[in-house]
Amino acid sequence: MLVSNHARPTLEDVAARAGVSRATASRVLNASPRVSPEALEAVNAAVTALGYQPNRAARALVTRRTGAVAVLFSEPEPKIFDDPHFARLIRAGARALADMDVQMVLMLVHSPDDQARAHRFLAGGHVDGALVFAPHRNDELVSIVKKLPLPVVYAGKPWGSLRGMHLVDNDNEGGAVLATEHLKSLGRKKIVHVSGPLDELSAIDRLNGFRAALSLDDKAVARVTEDGGFTREGGRKAMSALLARVPALDAVFVASDLMAAGALETLAEAGRRVPQDVAVVGFDDHVAIAEHTSPPLTSVRQDSDEQVKVMVEHLMKLLRDETVKKKQQMLPTVLVPRESA
Amino acid sequence: MLVSNHARPTLEDVAARAGVSRATASRVLNASPRVSPEALEAVNAAVTALGYQPNRAARALVTRRTGAVAVLFSEPEPKIFDDPHFARLIRAGARALADMDVQMVLMLVHSPDDQARAHRFLAGGHVDGALVFAPHRNDELVSIVKKLPLPVVYAGKPWGSLRGMHLVDNDNEGGAVLATEHLKSLGRKKIVHVSGPLDELSAIDRLNGFRAALSLDDKAVARVTEDGGFTREGGRKAMSALLARVPALDAVFVASDLMAAGALETLAEAGRRVPQDVAVVGFDDHVAIAEHTSPPLTSVRQDSDEQVKVMVEHLMKLLRDETVKKKQQMLPTVLVPRESA
DNA sequence: CTTAGCGACTCAAAGGTTTTCATCGAGGAG
DNA sequence: CTCCTCGATGAAAACCTTTGAGTCGCTAAG
């Protein structure tokens, strides 16, 4: 019997079969230009014949590259699985990284324990880079990641100085302007806002867009805005508060679809018809929510899939040591009209 | 200056500092018994002093263990991010695997392309084992995984022979009996069922529980059951169909909360009051849904966190070559009463 | 007194790949 | 015909850890 060896073939085997040295075989695999056409073909043939797969560990050992990327979320877990937004981000990350043949290591980092673990893990060199979703003010995760010599791309603007940071953000402010202008164009006069938690810059940007579109001063903003914490329940409560404070309101721009769903419930309970009495615009355009509220929700679309894809591409460039033209990118948002406004 | 070397310390450095050989240091790290207390302490001190972290690649190379586990979902992507059930599973997986200091490699495997990639990846020895979520009949992912020499634990029963397969299932049938008995105990006489897609064994088990609790024959089952496909929209449609076919129905057991949400919408549109006219019980007890339907949904709880945790523990045992007493485990389900029944 | 046994170590090989450096041969310039 | 250059290739080192075999100093048994 020749080779009934059940073990996985190594580069040595490939080289032997192709009649070249290990070095040449390696060069073929890594697309080095310094290799003759014949050798190239012979090696490729051997690779397919043997079903050869490079040993990741051996490669990582010498290249000091792991072929893995960490995806870090600092959000508390309940939020992560109540808000479909996160499922979408995770899914997009899995897809985009798989397309690059990179392993995705998902970490949920909230408790101090998690943070310590994350620090150990990232400092341990177990990944080549990281995608970080940490929107909150003074987020410990950001501090941890910042001081590590690790390429990182952030989703949205992390709090604090943005100097030298790589990030991909959505045009939150622009989207908010879109939403508010839309309500104005419907002839609404008393427009209020359910904001996200104001320790997140995306929430602040949306608030700023709302404010700018209506040219409100500080006092006016305070009166017509209520924090809904980016949760459904928060949306309900914020809407109640606004109804109490501004009974004559005829439109509301809600900074997330999940909150908008809560707000719609409150409006229904209060007997306000949507959109006749109150026009409602959400943010996210999360179809699983927006298409199932009653009435279906007009919303601002931010393309999370695209955002994550761009983040991944950006990170890959960093890993390849390419110079990136723009460290900070902004993705456009568009208004998706449905029936609520 | 002594050691301004910015590079990560190696085992060699640790050994040198502890005044022992690399081998001894290694044994300390791997908790080998054959090491003196003094050496142990010296090595541990050196480890903390240097902030030493074993090089995963080097270790993987020699142990032929990667320290990573794949988590595979065969569900189509839209479903994965519309149904909070999956977010919960992914979250639980991330948590449980992190607790074991194992990397989680998430893969969504639906298209033939994905399948090919998954095959390559798994066959390539890039992970030590896998957790598989592939509930459908003739699921290609199962065939792929089955013929690989890779330890695998399934979530729920995969279709086909279960011989020798390791799995952790929920007591779907028992839960369905619970739900149906509950409806009976409320005095309901015309109980119908919105099932999941009947190419999933969990859906079949739930249907069987329903059937058993009511002692229905084939014909009766066919009349009072409608497939809702485990989607919200499917739930709406199935409920409509059942209302048309069994106008006098006074209770419905819906095989998932997401479908139940849809069914409730249909019932509301049809002017049936819940629970007065129609009592409704769901399945999953997904709080993000069940607590936000109107009225809040009575549901059967299956503890997905626990399920995933048990799966992970089971897989770890397989990886340690421990003999597992029970290859196939079943987790209990309980009824969580709210207002819909 | 010899020797087997034992515990705690150390040595050194092995694991699979990339990469530097040297070599080899061919072809062109002088 | 000789000397160089240049491109393709091979030999070997390096990456860091685990682990089986071997060493060393003792004690207990024969």
Side-chain angles (χ1 to χ4, degrees):
Chain A
M1 191 61 234
L2 305 173
V3 183
S4 132
N5 202 348
H6 204 260
R8 293 177 48 204
T10 85
L11 190 55
E12 187 79 52
D13 302 332
V14 171
R17 186 179 177 115
V20 301
S21 76
R22 217 163 52 228
T24 305
S26 173
R27 280 190 259 269
V28 170
L29 290 182
N30 297 295
S32 157
R34 320 218 141 273
V35 57
S36 70
E38 308 87 63
L40 188 142
E41 189 172 357
V43 170
N44 281 333
V47 164
T48 54
L50 295 172
Y52 169 74
Q53 279 260 25
N55 181 314
R56 219 162 177 131
R59 175 176 280 176
L61 184 58
V62 52
T63 59
R64 283 117 180 291
R65 284 290 193 76
T66 64
V69 161
V71 176
L72 306 171
F73 287 88
S74 71
E75 214 65 39
E77 297 194 7
K79 207 154 182 175
I80 286 199
F81 73 110
D82 279 359
D83 191 337
H85 186 54
F86 291 100
R88 178 148 72 164
L89 292 172
I90 291 173
R91 181 189 68 85
R95 165 72 41 210
L97 288 170
D99 283 347
M100 299 289 190
D101 265 311
V102 170
Q103 285 189 21
M104 158 172 165
V105 180
L106 179 65
M107 301 189 82
L108 309 181
V109 185
H110 188 60
S111 72
D113 267 10
D114 296 341
Q115 290 163 359
R117 194 207 319 271
H119 178 85
R120 238 186 312 129
F121 186 78
L122 297 174
H126 300 312
V127 289
D128 299 333
L131 263 28
V132 174
F133 298 78
H136 291 284
R137 182 174 194 162
N138 297 331
D139 199 315
E140 192 57 32
L141 180 56
V142 176
S143 326
I144 290 174
V145 167
K146 237 187 203 162
K147 55 173 81 112
L148 254 32
L150 192 76
V152 172
V153 177
Y154 293 85
K157 289 176 271 194
W159 207 281
S161 161
L162 264 34
R163 287 189 69 89
M165 314 201 77
H166 296 265
L167 62 89
V168 180
D169 198 6
N170 294 297
D171 185 5
N172 289 299
E173 183 161 351
V177 170
L178 242 43
T180 313
E181 293 290 353
H182 178 68
L183 291 172
K184 278 167 70 182
S185 76
L186 296 175
R188 304 296 165 142
K189 300 300 178 195
K190 286 219 174 299
I191 309 179
V192 301
H193 178 49
V194 176
S195 78
L198 296 181
D199 73 334
E200 290 190 33
L201 283 168
S202 65
I204 292 182
D205 286 348
R206 289 173 200 178
L207 172 58
N208 283 341
F210 168 75
R211 173 186 193 149
L214 294 180
S215 318
L216 300 175
D217 61 23
D218 287 354
K219 213 170 123 191
V221 168
R223 212 174 66 89
V224 301
T225 301
E226 185 73 23
D227 182 347
F230 275 155
T231 68
R232 186 180 198 126
E233 192 54 32
R236 298 179 71 109
K237 288 188 182 146
M239 194 69 241
S240 297
L242 286 169
L243 280 173
R245 204 186 309 147
V246 190
L249 64 86
D250 60 2
V252 52
F253 164 47
V254 188
S256 88
D257 284 359
L258 195 61
M259 291 194 298
L264 286 173
E265 288 166 9
T266 298
L267 287 170
E269 284 161 16
R272 309 282 182 119
R273 293 167 308 162
V274 176
Q276 297 89 332
D277 303 334
V278 180
V280 178
V281 177
F283 204 112
D284 281 352
D285 189 44
H286 202 291
V287 291
I289 298 176
E291 290 185 352
H292 289 285
T293 53
S294 64
L297 187 66
T298 294
S299 187
V300 177
R301 167 173 299 164
Q302 54 173 334
D303 192 338
S304 302
D305 288 10
E306 179 67 13
Q307 183 188 12
V308 173
K309 210 174 120 199
V310 172
M311 286 174 68
V312 169
E313 285 165 1
H314 195 119
L315 183 59
M316 293 328 246
K317 278 186 193 148
L318 292 181
L319 295 185
R320 285 192 303 260
D321 270 328
E322 290 178 22
T323 48
V324 287
K325 56 279 143 194
K326 288 167 58 186
K327 292 191 167 190
Q328 310 187 347
Q329 302 186 60
M330 179 128 85
L331 267 30
T333 45
V334 300
L335 189 77
V336 179
R338 291 198 184 81
E339 295 169 32
S340 70
Chain B
M1 189 64 230
L2 305 175
V3 183
S4 134
N5 200 349
H6 205 260
R8 293 176 48 204
T10 86
L11 189 56
E12 188 79 52
D13 303 331
V14 172
R17 185 179 177 112
V20 300
S21 77
R22 216 163 53 228
T24 304
S26 172
R27 282 189 246 277
V28 170
L29 291 182
N30 296 297
S32 158
R34 318 222 140 271
V35 59
S36 69
E38 308 86 65
L40 188 143
E41 189 172 355
V43 171
N44 281 333
V47 164
T48 53
L50 296 173
Y52 171 75
Q53 280 260 22
N55 181 314
R56 220 163 176 128
R59 175 176 279 177
L61 184 57
V62 52
T63 59
R64 280 119 182 291
R65 284 289 193 75
T66 65
V69 161
V71 177
L72 307 170
F73 287 88
S74 71
E75 215 64 40
E77 297 194 9
K79 207 156 181 175
I80 287 200
F81 73 108
D82 278 359
D83 191 336
H85 187 54
F86 291 99
R88 179 147 72 164
L89 292 173
I90 291 174
R91 183 188 66 85
R95 166 71 41 207
L97 288 170
D99 283 346
M100 299 289 191
D101 266 312
V102 169
Q103 286 189 22
M104 158 172 166
V105 180
L106 179 65
M107 301 190 81
L108 309 181
V109 185
H110 188 60
S111 72
D113 267 9
D114 297 340
Q115 291 163 358
R117 192 203 326 265
H119 178 86
R120 239 185 311 129
F121 186 78
L122 298 174
H126 301 312
V127 289
D128 299 332
L131 262 29
V132 174
F133 298 78
H136 291 283
R137 183 174 193 160
N138 298 331
D139 199 315
E140 193 57 32
L141 180 56
V142 176
S143 327
I144 290 174
V145 168
K146 236 188 204 161
K147 54 174 82 110
L148 254 32
L150 192 76
V152 172
V153 177
Y154 293 87
K157 289 175 272 196
W159 208 280
S161 161
L162 263 34
R163 287 189 69 88
M165 315 201 76
H166 297 264
L167 62 89
V168 180
D169 198 8
N170 294 298
D171 185 5
N172 289 299
E173 183 160 350
V177 169
L178 242 43
T180 314
E181 293 291 352
H182 178 67
L183 292 171
K184 277 166 69 180
S185 75
L186 296 175
R188 306 293 166 143
K189 300 300 177 194
K190 286 218 176 298
I191 310 178
V192 301
H193 177 50
V194 176
S195 77
L198 296 180
D199 73 334
E200 291 191 31
L201 283 168
S202 65
I204 292 181
D205 286 348
R206 290 174 199 178
L207 172 58
N208 283 341
F210 168 76
R211 175 186 191 151
L214 294 179
S215 319
L216 300 175
D217 61 23
D218 286 355
K219 212 170 122 190
V221 168
R223 212 175 65 89
V224 301
T225 300
E226 186 73 23
D227 182 347
F230 276 155
T231 68
R232 185 180 197 127
E233 192 54 33
R236 298 178 71 108
K237 288 188 182 146
M239 194 69 243
S240 296
L242 286 168
L243 280 173
R245 205 188 306 147
V246 190
L249 62 87
D250 60 2
V252 52
F253 165 48
V254 189
S256 86
D257 284 359
L258 194 62
M259 291 195 298
L264 284 173
E265 289 166 9
T266 299
L267 287 171
E269 284 161 16
R272 309 282 183 118
R273 293 167 308 163
V274 177
Q276 297 90 331
D277 303 336
V278 180
V280 178
V281 177
F283 204 110
D284 282 351
D285 189 44
H286 202 291
V287 290
I289 299 176
E291 291 186 351
H292 288 285
T293 52
S294 63
L297 187 65
T298 295
S299 187
V300 177
R301 166 173 301 162
Q302 53 172 336
D303 191 338
S304 301
D305 288 10
E306 180 67 13
Q307 182 189 12
V308 173
K309 209 174 120 199
V310 172
M311 287 173 69
V312 169
E313 284 165 2
H314 195 119
L315 183 59
M316 293 328 249
K317 280 188 192 145
L318 292 181
L319 295 184
R320 286 191 303 259
D321 269 330
E322 289 178 24
T323 48
V324 287
K325 57 280 142 191
K326 290 167 59 184
K327 292 190 169 191
Q328 310 185 347
Q329 302 186 60
M330 179 128 85
L331 267 29
T333 44
V334 299
L335 190 77
V336 179
R338 292 197 184 80
E339 295 168 31
S340 70

